[in-house]
Amino acid sequence: MTVAVALAYTESRYSTRAVSRAGALGPLQVLPQWHCPGRKAKGCDLVEAGVKALARYGRLYAHKPGGWHTALCHWNAGNRCTKRGRWFARRVMLRASGFLCGAMGGTCATP
């Protein structure tokens, strides 16, 4: 769940009204045509769709070399993990580790 929270912050600063140039919507920047029932934004719970999509990316990529970094790179870049996608993944994972450290009273080091 920490990765989803860090992803939502990175994508939109938790904004439910966020819209990208590519048409991604909501806090997790979901593309309705790929992740919403009926492939439409209307009636789609964007948070639920985003969490389910992130879980799918985790199942597809998190077991591969790079783990969640690889999954998040593909989340951002699509079928090919690009330089910008790798940068994005590092940013999300650093935030996720920061959230965990804050929850633990700031007693852990960042990777």
Side-chain angles (χ1 to χ4, degrees):
M1 188 54 81
T2 303
V3 172
V5 172
L7 179 61
Y9 183 83
T10 304
E11 288 280 29
S12 69
R13 302 298 189 265
Y14 307 123
S15 173
T16 57
R17 296 178 185 201
V19 180
S20 77
R21 290 182 303 245
L25 306 172
L28 290 162
Q29 291 293 276
V30 170
L31 287 167
Q33 65 268 32
W34 295 109
H35 303 296
C36 290
R39 300 183 181 258
K40 305 226 183 281
K42 186 174 182 175
C44 181
D45 180 331
L46 296 171
V47 173
E48 180 181 348
V51 169
K52 285 181 179 180
L54 183 59
R56 270 194 305 279
Y57 276 83
R59 284 192 303 276
L60 287 170
Y61 298 109
H63 67 282
K64 295 187 178 189
W68 273 102
H69 282 86
T70 300
L72 290 165
C73 185
H74 285 282
W75 172 279
N76 180 261
N79 292 331
R80 294 189 76 178
C81 197
T82 64
K83 183 177 179 180
R84 188 192 185 301
R86 286 189 293 278
W87 172 86
F88 175 85
R90 278 192 303 275
R91 211 169 145 97
V92 173
M93 293 305 291
L94 282 171
R95 282 205 171 100
S97 69
F99 291 156
L100 285 172
C101 289
M104 295 169 56
T107 60
C108 57
T110 54

